[in-house]
Amino acid sequence: MNIKDKGINTKLIHAGGFKDPLGSATTPIYQSSTFSFESADHGARCFAGESDGYIYTRIGNPTIGELEKSVAELENGYNGIATSSGMGAITTVYMYYLGAGSHMVSHNAVYGPARGVMESLFSKFGVEYSYVDTTDLDQVRAAIKPNTKLIYTETPANPTIGITDIKALAEIAHEHNIPLVVDNTFCSPYLQRPLDLGADMVVHSMTKFINGHADIVAGMIVTKTEEDYKGIRPVMANMGCNMDPHQAFMTRRGLKTLGIRIDRAQKNAIKVADYLDKHPKIEWIMYPGLASHPQHELVAEQMDGPGAMMSFGVKGGYEAGKKMMDHVELALLAVSLGGIETLIQHPASMTHSKLSPEAKMQAGISDELVRLSIGIEDVDDIIADLEQALAHV
Ligand code: LCS
């Protein structure tokens, strides 16, 4: 069977292709830190890369390996490198491409710590950066310098829901021989495949849609080429931000239902966005599925659906939004996203609170912005909860 020819829901279940000798329907959890060699020569061959036997779980593990292969097959990539968290994936990518004197162009509305770690940590090692709005390609062109070694973006962006044209951005990057890395967390490969659009690498916080059950923190890097895979895997292993086998098992289990979860969450989100759009107490709303979204046409081109994430402002600004958040009963007032439960949060004081006021303003993360991650509950219950919470405003 060639899994590459199969539909995405089939791939979600069968990708990875691990065959258990005892016939287990799921990949066993190889909860072992180390693996014994058949002989000293075999051990030496494993270390020399001449045998694909396992050595030590920080470097590689069968349970983790099956998840890596699965996500890579879904992203149409060469292979995956699983990490302890999404931030583990992002810092590994930064470490791989950047060094003293090199420069990165990134989106100004990325997940807060993806920017924070650059400004507080990588800057100490002489890495330079420009944060621009990558939804505006002229800003990217203007920011590229002779020492630019990486273009990095997130689309849809957290939390502004701005959409970057991946294909056009990849063309600009490659004209300058610069790699493009895309954080595909908000879509997952079910809704968007950046490597097919020209990106060189994809990162995920699998804590979100891929695992989907709010019980795991996990990350993944998928490379397009064998060369990048061989280059970046040791960076992850040396930094020690590897995944644990149990974490891999849980994430692989979550991945199997990604399609049905996203289909339902997205169906709910379309209805919730329509409800909020018409609500007299809502000042504005950004949701890729609304015709009012400034990149609505691009959404149709590069995404297979609008997803389940939206942001909005309540009339009356931050105080009004806070009142609403304080009164939700069904939705959890919590960070994270992409799970089965509806979550509401305030980026300016929570996920993006470490950004300077100027950086927040530049990125369009206003004080009033409230972010919603729609879950798979009954949509009438989600809307009724928002209705009663807005009644307090
Ligand atoms: N990329 C994106 C787009 C994210 O939203 C997050 C986390 C990360 C990377 C980092 O992944 P982690 O290390 O947490 O697995 N986003 C969060 C959020 O919006 N609320 O809480 C976490």
Side-chain angles (χ1 to χ4, degrees):
M1 180 177 83
N2 187 355
I3 193 77
K4 287 198 164 50
D5 302 336
K6 303 291 184 241
I8 188 145
N9 285 288
T10 306
K11 283 184 185 169
L12 287 171
I13 293 155
H14 298 286
F18 184 90
K19 284 270 175 287
D20 178 53
L22 300 181
S24 166
T26 61
T27 308
I29 307 174
Y30 285 87
Q31 197 72 44
S32 180
S33 58
T34 195
F35 294 83
S36 60
F37 306 119
E38 290 155 16
S39 63
D41 274 349
H42 176 225
R45 282 200 306 280
C46 286
F47 271 90
E50 291 157 7
S51 162
D52 51 12
Y54 290 95
I55 298 171
Y56 187 62
T57 283
R58 176 161 50 72
I59 301 167
N61 172 288
T63 316
I64 301 169
E66 198 248 357
L67 176 67
E68 292 171 331
K69 251 180 101 184
S70 302
V71 178
E73 277 168 15
L74 290 157
E75 289 283 7
N76 295 325
Y78 174 73
N79 206 348
I81 296 113
T83 52
S84 51
S85 67
M87 281 308 296
I90 292 166
T91 50
T92 300
V93 163
Y94 290 170
M95 280 285 196
Y96 176 58
Y97 283 116
L98 303 169
S102 58
H103 171 254
M104 172 179 80
V105 178
S106 181
H107 193 20
N108 55 22
V110 288
Y111 172 56
R115 177 169 178 165
V117 74
M118 182 54 61
E119 293 175 342
S120 65
L121 189 64
F122 283 81
S123 61
K124 287 205 302 195
F125 303 107
V127 177
E128 298 165 19
Y129 44 83
S130 302
Y131 281 96
V132 300
D133 180 357
T134 63
T135 70
D136 174 359
L137 299 169
D138 286 338
Q139 289 191 30
V140 177
R141 282 190 197 95
I144 292 173
K145 302 206 268 185
N147 59 337
T148 304
K149 299 287 183 220
L150 172 63
I151 297 180
Y152 180 93
T153 197
E154 202 182 283
T155 179
N158 187 358
T160 58
I161 321 290
I163 311 287
T164 293
D165 186 335
I166 298 173
K167 208 168 170 180
L169 187 60
E171 278 167 18
I172 294 170
H174 296 157
E175 272 166 27
H176 294 84
N177 280 322
I178 304 167
L180 171 66
V181 176
V182 176
D183 183 329
N184 200 25
T185 297
F186 268 38
C187 279
S188 88
Y190 190 69
L191 294 181
Q192 177 172 274
R193 288 159 302 280
L195 300 182
D196 289 353
L197 298 168
D200 298 281
M201 226 179 254
V202 163
V203 293
H204 280 287
S205 167
M206 301 197 297
T207 315
K208 311 297 170 355
F209 288 99
I210 289 184
N211 179 60
H213 291 74
D215 50 12
I216 283 291
V217 171
M220 183 69 78
I221 301 161
V222 178
T223 74
K224 184 183 262 174
T225 66
E226 181 177 1
E227 188 190 348
D228 277 333
Y229 174 76
K230 288 192 167 153
I232 199 168
R233 180 172 269 289
V235 180
M236 178 285 292
N238 287 330
M239 291 213 299
C241 55
N242 58 285
M243 184 172 274
D244 176 82
H246 181 256
Q247 198 183 1
F249 176 85
M250 294 288 281
T251 309
R252 185 67 189 86
R253 187 172 74 156
L255 181 67
K256 292 178 190 184
T257 55
L258 179 69
I260 54 172
R261 284 187 286 106
I262 289 198
D263 283 347
R264 184 175 168 98
Q266 181 171 260
K267 216 165 129 197
N268 284 354
I270 291 167
K271 285 193 180 157
V272 171
D274 192 44
Y275 159 79
L276 289 175
D277 194 35
K278 295 193 177 104
H279 200 290
K281 290 185 183 173
I282 298 298
E283 182 80 46
W284 58 268
I285 170 161
M286 278 284 272
Y287 176 62
L290 288 173
S292 58
H293 191 290
Q295 293 120 331
H296 188 60
E297 282 169 24
L298 179 58
V299 170
E301 265 173 49
Q302 78 178 16
M303 291 161 63
D304 292 339
M309 297 298 301
M310 63 191 73
S311 61
F312 60 92
V314 182
K315 280 185 188 157
Y318 174 54
E319 287 306 321
K322 201 165 123 189
K323 226 174 211 155
M324 180 198 180
M325 287 184 281
D326 280 341
H327 286 92
V328 289
E329 291 172 356
L330 178 73
L332 301 183
L333 177 55
V335 298
S336 201
L337 59 103
I340 50 178
E341 54 285 284
T342 297
L343 303 177
I344 193 165
Q345 71 114 355
H346 180 241
S349 68
M350 296 175 188
T351 47
H352 294 69
S353 58
K354 298 289 186 290
L355 298 191
S356 66
E358 299 76 47
K360 274 187 241 181
M361 201 168 71
Q362 186 203 26
I365 305 167
S366 58
D367 243 12
E368 72 198 25
L369 187 151
V370 175
R371 194 189 73 187
L372 254 183
S373 171
I374 302 297
I376 65 169
E377 302 95 336
D378 288 299
V379 70
D380 291 346
D381 292 332
I382 300 172
I383 291 174
D385 187 37
L386 298 175
E387 177 79 17
Q388 65 79 27
L390 279 166
H392 289 86
V393 174

